[in-house]
Amino acid sequence: MATIITTMKLLKFTRIVALLFIFHTVFSLFLIVSPTFNAGLLTSVYRKYLLPGPFFTKDRIEQSYSMLVSCKVGNTWLPVSQPALENYHRLMATGNPKAMLQTRLDRYFYYQYLIAKHKNPDVQINMEFEQMLNYYQNYFPVGTDSVKLIFVKKGTSDLAITVDTLYTIKHGVD
Amino acid sequence: MELINQVDIGVKRVLLEDSRKELFFKVLYLFVLIKLWVSWATLESIVEFFPAREYSLVGLVLHAPLQLLNFGLSAFVVVFSLILLTSLVVRINYIGSFLIFWFSVCLSKFLFPVLNGADLVLNLFLLIGLVTPTFPVLKWRGLEKYQKMIAAFGVLFIKVEIALIYFLSGYDKLITDSWRNGNAIFSINNLDFFSNPNLSIQLSGVGALVIAWLVILFELSFAFFIWFERVKKYWLVAGVLFHLAIIIFMGLLDFGVMMILSYLILIPRKYEYQV
């Protein structure tokens, strides 16, 4: 008798879990086919933690931003370099995962600056700029007294490529 | 009543499928370990700019392992490495699964400037991994059967999540103009941080269109066909090739590896004997 009761309880429990599972699957499918549906915290949590993706969204693949760096050592401006792109190329040439993380970190710092500048276009030197400059010190050769930073936006849409220089900033280095 | 019986039979059949969850989680742990060691230098750069501080009590508890940073970054890396190495040699269990998930979430919090989809997928699998162990066996008051059933649901949950990830990705592409007309492939091929400079390929409009639709159809169909034993292997092979292409042409190494590793949970144990 006790075995039957235990089996019945297990069956009931299995059915409840199966129902929750079916609900999860159906709700996830609903969220996928209704990308604009928003019901507050539940949908936010679902989309962020239980439905990772989509990863190649339109805004991510149609534009990218670059930062070119030129350093002034003595009285000479050195040729421009792109640390983030160089690290990306190093990743593609060697497959070294450290270069993958490095290029992402390089980009993170200047993207933070671009976001802050976009929010407040009148302020050129802000906290994000100082932080970015501090981070990029490692890429500046010894004796650098000034740097020129050129921010470029590259867009691709309708089978055409556009390149725009957004800002050029000259700044002294401590 | 008949319908409920049919559902019961269906649930039993799905739960009985013997997956290689032990191998799946061990490989995940190995992936986390390699990720931890590879990111060590990056972690040092990040901690210089963003010291891991917690201001709320909840945050402090949730990210308690980050307190190890007070003893230096090495303390966090060494402790996490020991947990992972131990978990690699012992049977998967609740304590190990919990600690790995907890530390992995902390690592992700710390590595936020360089995170991508791979980390979200990894942490999701580790979260579900909290319910998949069947060790230590809970013998008290017949909990063992519940334990096995929940573990089986956990494995099924991971499989469903893999299918949903592909379906979401495929559906999003399907409703996006630039994917439907092939422009997205042109964009990917021409953006600086998405295309391999050593493998520059000039695609025609038709070429881009064909590739875009192959990707859309593959992603949508993957979510469906992995549930059918007879054809599943073809989609898994296609998936491996798809992610290898992403790694080689776009450099998304961690994401590609993560998705390929996730296929291990989709391979039934019987394939092992066939090989």
Side-chain angles (χ1 to χ4, degrees), chain A residues 15 24 50 61 88 156, chain B residues 8 161 187 190-191 250 254:
Chain A
R15 282 176 184 166
H24 163 70
L50 290 174
I61 57 171
Y88 178 73
T156 55
Chain B
D8 285 342
E161 285 300 314
S187 299
N190 285 287
L191 283 184
M250 298 173 68
D254 49 353

Side-chain angles (χ1 to χ4, degrees), chain B residues 181-240:
Chain B
N181 59 28
N183 287 356
I185 296 295
F186 173 82
S187 299
I188 289 171
N189 198 35
N190 285 287
L191 283 184
D192 290 339
F193 295 98
F194 271 133
S195 56
N196 189 338
N198 309 311
L199 294 168
S200 179
I201 298 169
Q202 290 307 313
L203 281 171
S204 64
V206 177
L209 184 73
V210 170
I211 293 174
W213 273 99
L214 281 176
V215 171
I216 294 171
L217 292 175
F218 163 71
E219 290 188 334
L220 288 174
S221 61
F222 185 94
F224 182 71
F225 285 111
I226 55 162
W227 301 102
F228 300 95
E229 278 312 315
R230 288 178 66 183
V231 291
K232 180 161 73 175
K233 57 190 165 199
Y234 302 113
W235 261 261
L236 293 183
V237 170
V240 170

Side-chain angles (χ1 to χ4, degrees), chain B residues 40-192:
Chain B
W40 197 333
T42 311
L43 283 167
E44 278 171 353
S45 302
I46 293 173
V47 81
E48 250 183 71
F49 292 91
F50 310 103
R53 288 198 195 106
E54 281 297 347
Y55 298 103
S56 71
L57 188 64
V58 177
L60 205 65
V61 174
L62 280 177
H63 302 117
L66 288 179
Q67 295 304 312
L68 285 166
L69 294 172
N70 294 329
F71 304 97
L73 178 62
S74 311
F76 178 83
V77 175
V78 168
V79 172
F80 196 12
S81 298
L82 284 175
I83 294 168
L84 287 161
L85 286 168
T86 311
S87 298
L88 278 171
V89 291
V90 301
R91 202 172 154 186
I92 59 163
N93 58 78
Y94 293 110
I95 298 167
S97 305
F98 171 73
L99 287 174
I100 290 172
F101 172 67
W102 198 18
F103 273 73
S104 179
V105 168
C106 292
L107 181 66
S108 298
K109 176 182 161 58
F110 199 9
L111 275 174
F112 73 94
V114 295
L115 290 190
N116 74 358
D119 300 273
L120 286 173
V121 175
L122 173 69
N123 285 334
L124 174 63
F125 290 162
L126 292 176
L127 172 68
I128 301 170
L130 296 178
V131 297
T132 53
T134 44
F135 184 78
V137 179
L138 305 175
K139 288 180 179 163
W140 185 67
R141 297 185 75 175
L143 283 178
E144 188 182 350
K145 285 178 182 166
Y146 290 86
Q147 181 184 23
K148 280 185 183 167
M149 191 267 293
I150 289 172
F153 264 112
V155 172
L156 180 63
F157 196 178
I158 294 173
K159 292 177 186 175
V160 168
E161 285 300 314
I162 294 171
L164 287 173
I165 288 168
Y166 278 96
F167 188 70
L168 169 61
S169 193
Y171 187 79
D172 180 72
K173 290 180 177 74
L174 187 68
I175 60 170
T176 307
D177 288 347
S178 59
W179 274 97
R180 283 201 308 271
N181 59 28
N183 287 356
I185 296 295
F186 173 82
S187 299
I188 289 171
N189 198 35
N190 285 287
L191 283 184
D192 290 339

Side-chain angles (χ1 to χ4, degrees), chain A residues 6 9-11 13-15 17-18 21 24-25 28-29 32-33 35 48-58 60-66 84-85 88-89 91-93 95 97-98 100-105 107-110 131 134-135 154 156-161, chain B residues 4 8 11 15 38-39 42 45-46 49-50 112-114 116-117 120-121 124 145-146 149-150 153 156-157 160-161 164-165 167-169 171-173 175-176 178-179 183-184 186-188 190-198 205 246-255:
Chain A
T6 311
K9 274 185 183 170
L10 180 65
L11 188 64
F13 187 69
T14 308
R15 282 176 184 166
V17 179
F21 199 78
H24 163 70
T25 311
S28 298
L29 286 170
I32 291 171
V33 297
K48 191 168 180 189
Y49 299 106
L50 290 174
L51 268 179
F55 302 111
F56 296 105
T57 49
K58 190 178 173 180
R60 280 198 65 203
I61 57 171
E62 287 197 346
Q63 55 192 31
S64 71
Y65 296 86
S66 305
L85 193 60
Y88 178 73
H89 287 174
L91 160 72
M92 299 314 277
K98 286 182 183 172
M100 175 185 73
L101 297 174
Q102 195 63 51
T103 182
R104 285 186 197 161
L105 193 58
R107 271 182 282 165
Y108 173 80
F109 279 97
Y110 72 74
Q131 202 170 45
N134 207 0
Y135 170 78
K154 187 174 180 183
T156 55
S157 64
D158 300 327
L159 305 177
I161 303 167
Chain B
I4 292 173
D8 285 342
V11 169
L15 295 182
V38 165
S39 58
T42 311
S45 302
I46 293 173
F49 292 91
F50 310 103
F112 73 94
V114 295
N116 74 358
L120 286 173
V121 175
L124 174 63
K145 285 178 182 166
Y146 290 86
M149 191 267 293
I150 289 172
F153 264 112
L156 180 63
F157 196 178
V160 168
E161 285 300 314
L164 287 173
I165 288 168
F167 188 70
L168 169 61
S169 193
Y171 187 79
D172 180 72
K173 290 180 177 74
I175 60 170
T176 307
S178 59
W179 274 97
N183 287 356
F186 173 82
S187 299
I188 289 171
N190 285 287
L191 283 184
D192 290 339
F193 295 98
F194 271 133
S195 56
N196 189 338
N198 309 311
I246 288 179
I247 292 171
I248 294 166
F249 288 100
M250 298 173 68
L252 291 170
L253 188 61
D254 49 353
F255 181 71

